[in-house]
């Protein structure tokens, strides 16, 4: 996007702008290069950790699960968003050690905290398409579940819509195997990709996560309202549960409750928190 707009500006400015465009491209490339190099050391140097964001059941107003989100705090670069470094990890191959780090962190967390969770509590983690199509992924997941004595049903795997449509065969194999183990599967950022609705009923999926972009203005933008209602009704027909992402205010929450959306996640309840802080929050929240 940055490159596109630089290109646009370059065109509208004529000759000199070419250099401006080139500078912008260089800056983007340099930043990627810096991050790719820094990411190599991030794991070894303990700069990465996993945080947990609560998921609330709208019927009971209880926290029934969490999403694991990776965090990178670099000593000089500061906090780097996963939206920026996950694509870099994917293109450099670092996504493999990074994903195993997340899976192991989640298993360790669940194993440590399980006695404080309800029986159907589940922790969701994001799986990049790059790793989802690897055969060894399944063996690694099984290995960690066994090592940490975590029941598969306590883990949910999130994949984006486009992933499923582009790599259908291989992804479905892995997801079927994960479901066979007893884990759950969610389609993340639902509504933003290109999904084939006819395939949806055949996919091994339990939940749809409505993308934040539809939730932002759900109360006032009639298009977003219509899309959200359509997703909820589709989910009901297919016996899937719906999680609304990015719920930031009470108005959105009440609206979603009114539309029979099952679960919400967002800053209204809490941002992601490190594991100990998440547990304190969970115990306080679920007391009422
Ligand atoms: P996602 O899986 O859709 O995760 C939800 C994102 O929305 C998170 O951003 C979360 O912090 C943010 N969020 C939650 N509630 C709110 C809200 O109320 N308002 C706003 N404005 N934002 C909210 P985050 O942590 O920056 O992650 C961005 C994306 O990076 C994730 O989107 C996911 O695609 C990817 N990602 C994060 N952690 C991992 C990971 O461990 N592995 C992989 N493969 N991808 C990850
Ligand atoms: Mg997600
Ligand atoms: Mg999402
Ligand atoms: Mg998103």
């Amino acid at each position: 996007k940055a490159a596109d707009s630089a290109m646009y500006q370059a065109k509208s400015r004529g000759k000199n702008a070419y250099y401006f465009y080139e500078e912008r491209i260089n800056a983007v490339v340099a930043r990627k290069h810096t991050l790719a190099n820094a990411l190599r050391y991030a794991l070894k140097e303990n700069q990465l950790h996993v945080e947990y964001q609560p998921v609330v059941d709208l019927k009971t107003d209880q926290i029934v699960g969490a999403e694991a989100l990776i965090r990178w705090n670099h000593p000089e670069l500061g906090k780097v968003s996963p939206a920026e470094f996950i694509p870099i990890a994917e293109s450099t191959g670092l996504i493999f050690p990074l994903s195993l780090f997340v899976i192991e962190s989640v298993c360790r967390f669940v194993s440590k905290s399980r006695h404080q969770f309800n029986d159907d509590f589940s922790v969701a983690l994001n799986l990049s398409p790059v790793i989802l199509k690897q055969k060894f992924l399944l063996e690694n997941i099984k290995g960690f579940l066994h090592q940490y004595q975590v029941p598969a049903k306590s883990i949910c795997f999130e994949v984006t819509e486009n992933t499923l449509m582009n790599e259908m065969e291989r992804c479905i194999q892995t997801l079927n195997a994960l479901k066979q183990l007893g884990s759950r599967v969610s389609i993340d950022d639902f509504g933003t990709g290109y999904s084939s609705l006819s395939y949806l009923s055949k996919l091994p999926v339990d939940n749809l996560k409505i993308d934040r972009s539809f939730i932002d203005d759900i109360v006032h933008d009639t298009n977003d309202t219509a899309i959200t209602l359509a997703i909820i009704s589709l989910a009901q027909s297919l016996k899937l549960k719906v999680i609304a992402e990015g719920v930031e205010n009470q108005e959105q929450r009440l609206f979603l409750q009114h539309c029979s959306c099952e679960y919400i996640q967002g800053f209204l309840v809490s941002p992601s928190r490190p594991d100990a802080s998440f547990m304190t929050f969970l115990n306080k929240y679920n007391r009422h």
Side-chain angles (χ1 to χ4, degrees):
K1 263 185 204 149
D4 280 352
S5 85
M7 174 70 109
Y8 175 78
Q9 288 178 38
K11 275 184 186 155
S12 61
R13 282 188 203 180
K15 228 178 188 176
N16 285 336
Y18 173 75
Y19 298 102
F20 169 74
Y21 173 63
E22 201 178 59
E23 247 168 61
R24 287 288 298 273
I25 294 289
N26 287 344
V28 171
V29 171
R31 167 85 176 166
K32 274 193 187 152
H33 190 74
T34 306
L35 291 182
N37 279 331
L39 199 51
R40 265 175 244 288
Y41 298 98
L43 269 173
K44 271 187 275 182
E45 311 272 318
N46 280 327
Q47 295 163 9
L48 296 170
H49 72 278
V50 176
E51 294 195 351
Y52 301 89
Q53 184 179 35
V55 174
V56 163
D57 184 333
L58 283 176
K59 274 219 183 86
T60 59
D61 190 23
Q62 297 285 294
I63 297 173
V64 295
E67 178 174 9
L69 295 160
I70 193 162
R71 297 289 175 253
W72 182 14
N73 201 351
H74 186 275
E76 279 109 46
L77 301 167
K79 286 181 182 162
V80 186
S81 159
E84 188 177 16
F85 72 79
I86 292 288
I88 295 172
E90 288 175 337
S91 64
T92 53
L94 290 166
I95 192 69
F96 297 109
L98 193 147
S99 301
L100 297 182
F101 170 78
V102 173
I103 298 166
E104 181 165 20
S105 301
V106 168
C107 287
R108 196 186 296 117
F109 168 62
V110 172
S111 144
K112 197 171 64 183
S113 315
R114 202 153 70 91
H115 63 284
Q116 297 179 66
F117 292 159
N118 277 335
D119 204 40
D120 51 2
F121 193 95
S122 83
V123 179
L125 60 89
N126 296 281
L127 281 183
S128 153
V130 178
I131 186 141
L132 188 64
K133 61 187 183 199
Q134 297 298 323
K135 281 216 184 78
F136 71 79
L137 175 69
L138 196 65
E139 292 314 310
N140 277 283
I141 290 173
K142 282 189 201 160
F144 286 132
L145 292 175
H146 180 77
Q147 183 185 342
Y148 291 94
Q149 293 292 294
V150 169
K153 72 175 175 110
S154 307
I155 311 288
C156 176
F157 296 93
E158 294 190 4
V159 292
T160 58
E161 227 177 346
N162 289 334
T163 306
L164 291 175
M165 296 306 141
N166 296 339
E167 309 269 358
M168 191 72 86
E169 287 309 314
R170 278 153 112 185
C171 290
I172 291 184
Q173 270 179 27
T174 313
L175 294 180
N176 269 326
L178 290 171
K179 293 255 329 171
Q180 215 107 59
L181 285 181
S183 292
R184 274 172 267 184
V185 172
S186 299
I187 302 189
D188 204 352
D189 305 342
F190 192 77
T192 61
Y194 310 93
S195 58
S196 152
L197 294 183
S198 62
Y199 264 119
L200 199 53
S201 62
K202 299 184 185 82
L203 291 171
V205 161
D206 300 282
N207 313 306
L208 300 182
K209 297 190 78 170
I210 305 180
D211 192 66
R212 200 168 77 219
S213 57
F214 301 111
I215 305 301
D216 279 344
D217 224 7
I218 190 188
V219 183
H220 302 108
D221 183 317
T222 51
N223 290 326
D224 290 345
T225 310
I227 291 168
T228 303
L229 288 173
I231 294 176
I232 292 172
S233 128
L234 175 71
Q236 281 170 347
S237 325
L238 297 175
K239 306 217 159 34
L240 308 174
K241 301 279 188 229
V242 174
I243 304 164
E245 295 190 308
V247 176
E248 295 183 350
N249 59 57
Q250 197 59 30
E251 214 184 0
Q252 293 165 326
R253 180 188 176 130
L254 289 171
F255 191 88
L256 286 160
Q257 202 156 6
H258 188 73
C259 305
S260 317
C261 172
E262 277 96 359
Y263 307 108
I264 57 163
Q265 188 183 332
F267 295 165
L268 175 66
V269 177
S270 166
S272 68
R273 297 163 180 272
D275 51 10
S277 156
F278 174 85
M279 289 312 297
T280 310
F281 185 83
L282 168 84
N283 288 322
K284 235 185 240 161
Y285 194 98
N286 280 2
R287 206 167 292 148
H288 69 250

